Amino acid sequence: MPSRVLLADPVLVVQNGIHALLSHEEELKVCTAVGSASKARRAIREYAPDLVIISLSLEETGGLSFLEDLRTSYSDLPVLVFGRYDQAEVAKRALAVGADGYVPKNAPTETLIDSLHKVIDGDTYVGTDLKKENDR
């Protein structure tokens, strides 16, 4: 049975793109996509996803604020932050707030897929470019 992925991103083209991308993956399936924190909360209760992808630009609260709230109620739910910034500082903040991984939106497709598998398997994921920047 494939892992259920909930996508919380306000940009419809991103939602559609990730949905199309994961439609080719046997082990991953988007159970739903939403654009706001309140819809994400409802979707988590309704769909019981195995992983949540959160955009930093999530409507209503922003991704990091939503992640902080999410950790209070769903501390074991794996969360990957999908941010538009390819910066180590943003990734560090996301991880400090409780993300299990961080991938910038300009990452290659393979990187996103790899990060989803690693986070679902219980590992922490930060892209290699961010690791290099962080090591400086």
Side-chain angles (χ1 to χ4, degrees), residues 40 63 72 85 103-104 132:
T72 305
Y85 303 105
V103 175
K132 289 176 194 170

Side-chain angles (χ1 to χ4, degrees), residues 21-73:
L21 176 70
L22 295 185
S23 70
H24 302 289
E25 294 293 313
E26 290 182 20
E27 297 177 12
L28 300 167
K29 179 184 183 236
V30 174
C31 57
T32 193
V34 297
S36 69
S38 60
K39 289 179 182 177
R41 282 186 197 91
R42 282 192 299 267
I44 289 169
R45 288 190 302 271
E46 182 177 343
Y47 293 95
D50 300 303
L51 176 133
V52 177
I53 301 172
I54 296 176
S55 169
L56 290 176
S57 57
L58 191 61
E59 291 178 5
E60 296 171 348
T61 65
L64 293 180
S65 293
F66 175 64
L67 176 58
E68 286 181 291
D69 293 342
L70 189 62
R71 284 299 172 221
T72 305
S73 303

